Amino acid sequence: MLILTPPARRLPSLPPVFSLSHQIKRYRTSHSRFSPASSPPLCFAPLSHSLLDRPVQSYISRSSDPYLNLSIEHHLLQKTAPESAVLFLYVNRPCVVVGRNQNPWTEVNLALLKDFRAEGAIGDGDGDGRGERIGLDLVRRRSGGGTVFHDFGNVNWTVISPSAKFTRDKHAEMVVRALRRVGVERARVNERHDIVVDLGERKTGWMNDTHSTPWMGGETRKVGGSAYKLTRGRALHHGTALLGSGNLGRIKEVLTAPGKGLIESKGVESVSSPVANVGIGNKQFMREVGGEFGKLYGQVETKEVGEEWLEDQGLRKGWEELKSLDWTYCQTPRFKISNESVRSANTRLPLLTMEAKGGCVENLHIKHREDAEGFALDLKDESSKHKIHEIQDWGRMLSMWEEASGKGLQHDHRSELGSWIESMLPARL
């Protein structure tokens, strides 16, 4: 997971590109948000079988819709020729993207999503730092990996290739070579297949190796993460590149879920890392990555894609599914939440154990004291299932469950328990 926190201090040995104050000055005078209209002309590409059958393919999206871009990405995985190599580059509007097998209640502070003030990429807007209150999309992608934050200062790159020729480092190494070509010599691929920059003092001479730099041995900052999806014969490597986010340092609270540590989940947990902006423009990054992709697979004309691909019914169906709340929340792996570890600080709080499957409450057990009998409910039956993201009021839901069990809690105890559940599993999503 990219926990976006700026470096705590400026290290004397760092080149200016890693100074946040330098980045702000630079990006306020050099617009970093990708805009095809201001870029060199690209070839417009309506979706066709002949287009997807080419041995080498390269695409840039003109859309910032994360649901559309992820749907195009998935369509390319499914429909491109089995032996083809495909590059897809895009920039999303501000959003949080969780992995296919993750639990949003343990990865994201969902209560903050609706009221998030996004500043966009450094240099966007009038530079007053106030930003626009636009909220954040929460998106569940179809590939694995951890939770990431996207905005206009973050470029997403995807390479799809035959699985027989795929390794988890191959295309991260490609991106490191692109970064080094524009002067980011401290970039390398680490043991987790992520892209990091080394912040230490120079200790050795130059090493022509994408997994090491002369500055290794000190602190690092993550500038790019990876996610993968492998199918029969095809491999997708999705990566992020944090180039010039104006939200750096403000995202940690969004990616820190109140329920983390209290929810026991079978899903994949993100690994937190300190990160930094690379400090180059989106268009420059895209150009260099395209060049390195061409060296690997052969040069090819880049095609521009966008909303017109929704004319394909299969792609549109996938796009609509990604936008649905059922896909976002009901694909959550089984999890259990308990307040036993926090009751010592509030003895009035009834003891709760609740299990959920497919984003629905499956069973729960509530009692006021350890020595009390309490009540339990089995909610596996379809007629009694409740989707967590559709629950509007946890206090009212507790009352309904008490009535169903024939037992109940005192009003103030029910109110406290409802408030606690609300803080862990926010209602009114």
Side-chain angles (χ1 to χ4, degrees):
M1 175 171 61
L2 298 185
I3 300 295
L4 303 186
T5 53
R9 57 190 175 91
R10 180 180 176 182
L11 302 180
S13 60
L14 293 185
V17 72
F18 292 108
S19 162
L20 291 183
S21 61
H22 178 84
Q23 289 173 11
I24 293 171
K25 180 179 179 181
R26 176 180 179 181
Y27 277 86
R28 282 181 177 168
T29 58
S30 176
H31 200 280
S32 67
R33 177 174 173 177
F34 174 68
S35 173
S38 59
S39 304
L42 297 174
C43 180
F44 177 78
L47 184 57
S48 67
H49 290 297
S50 60
L51 185 70
L52 303 181
D53 284 341
R54 295 175 303 153
V56 182
Q57 304 170 38
S58 176
Y59 304 93
I60 289 180
S61 175
R62 79 175 73 85
S63 174
S64 62
D65 176 355
Y67 305 102
L68 175 59
N69 287 327
L70 287 171
S71 297
I72 292 175
E73 181 181 89
H74 186 65
H75 191 80
L76 291 171
L77 173 66
Q78 290 186 313
K79 301 298 183 180
T80 48
E83 295 302 314
S84 64
V86 182
L87 174 66
F88 181 42
L89 299 166
Y90 59 93
V91 176
N92 286 332
R93 63 178 179 251
C95 60
V96 174
V97 183
V98 299
R100 174 67 179 84
N101 302 307
Q102 290 197 297
N103 184 333
W105 287 285
T106 62
E107 297 293 332
V108 186
N109 190 329
L110 297 173
L112 294 180
L113 288 186
K114 289 184 179 180
D115 196 36
F116 182 80
R117 186 181 296 278
E119 295 179 4
I122 299 173
D124 280 355
D126 56 14
D128 62 6
R130 291 181 298 175
E132 178 185 2
R133 192 176 297 279
I134 60 175
L136 284 174
D137 293 307
L138 178 64
V139 187
R140 183 187 294 276
R141 62 176 176 266
R142 298 184 188 277
S143 56
T147 298
V148 291
F149 177 85
H150 292 172
D151 65 11
F152 293 116
N154 182 311
V155 173
N156 296 273
W157 56 270
T158 298
V159 178
I160 302 168
S161 60
S163 57
K165 302 175 183 178
F166 169 79
T167 71
R168 290 182 181 266
D169 284 334
K170 182 177 182 179
H171 300 114
E173 292 168 351
M174 176 191 79
V175 173
V176 165
R177 289 193 293 270
L179 290 173
R180 289 181 178 179
R181 281 179 59 85
V182 294
V184 189
E185 296 179 341
R186 296 168 179 263
R188 65 177 172 89
V189 181
N190 71 4
E191 64 281 356
R192 294 184 54 82
H193 320 292
D194 295 325
I195 298 174
V196 299
V197 290
D198 291 315
L199 307 186
E201 299 288 343
R202 185 168 188 146
K203 296 181 179 179
T204 63
W206 181 249
M207 296 176 285
N208 188 23
D209 175 6
T210 53
H211 290 259
S212 59
T213 77
W215 298 274
M216 290 177 66
E219 294 183 48
T220 64
R221 292 290 183 270
K222 184 174 176 179
V223 296
S226 292
Y228 310 92
K229 186 174 180 64
L230 303 178
T231 64
R232 181 177 297 180
R234 298 293 273 166
L236 179 149
H237 183 170
H238 168 87
T240 58
L242 189 57
L243 304 180
S245 172
N247 294 300
L248 197 70
R250 302 193 61 243
I251 310 306
K252 183 176 182 179
E253 59 180 344
V254 177
L255 299 187
T256 303
K260 193 175 183 67
L262 297 173
I263 296 176
E264 180 183 327
S265 179
K266 293 186 178 296
V268 175
E269 290 191 9
S270 298
V271 177
S272 301
S273 301
V275 306
N277 283 323
V278 170
I280 64 174
N282 291 1
K283 289 182 287 185
Q284 184 181 23
F285 174 81
M286 290 179 170
R287 182 172 60 249
E288 296 300 332
V289 169
E292 292 297 327
F293 175 80
K295 291 178 184 178
L296 276 178
Y297 297 105
Q299 297 295 336
V300 64
E301 183 181 33
T302 297
K303 307 289 186 180
E304 182 182 307
V305 300
E307 287 78 4
E308 70 280 356
W309 276 32
L310 288 173
E311 294 176 8
D312 181 274
Q313 292 305 306
L315 195 153
R316 174 174 285 275
K317 182 178 179 181
W319 173 68
E320 291 174 346
E321 181 181 50
L322 284 190
K323 292 195 299 177
S324 71
L325 292 180
D326 277 2
W327 170 263
T328 303
Y329 294 103
C330 295
Q331 293 294 318
T332 300
R334 181 190 293 271
F335 70 91
K336 178 172 72 174
I337 181 170
S338 172
N339 62 3
E340 185 174 6
S341 63
V342 300
R343 286 188 75 244
S344 58
N346 183 1
T347 56
R348 292 169 54 85
L349 188 66
L351 181 64
L352 167 76
T353 300
M354 183 167 68
E355 295 184 0
K357 180 181 179 182
C360 299
V361 179
E362 193 172 64
N363 58 66
L364 76 158
H365 186 268
I366 299 175
K367 58 182 179 180
H368 178 51
R369 301 184 312 276
E370 284 77 357
D371 59 349
E373 180 182 355
F375 67 90
L377 282 177
D378 186 332
L379 302 169
K380 295 185 181 70
D381 184 79
E382 288 294 330
S383 62
S384 60
K385 278 189 176 180
H386 295 277
K387 297 176 182 178
I388 294 173
H389 70 272
E390 292 182 348
I391 293 176
Q392 298 295 305
D393 185 321
W394 279 104
R396 183 178 300 175
M397 184 60 63
L398 287 172
S399 294
M400 187 180 72
W401 285 334
E402 291 170 31
E403 184 177 344
S405 70
K407 299 180 180 180
L409 298 168
Q410 296 179 20
H411 174 75
D412 54 344
H413 294 162
R414 183 190 312 115
S415 177
E416 287 205 35
L417 183 57
S419 296
W420 184 84
I421 300 174
E422 168 73 19
S423 68
M424 299 295 109
L425 307 173
R428 301 177 298 279
L429 295 174

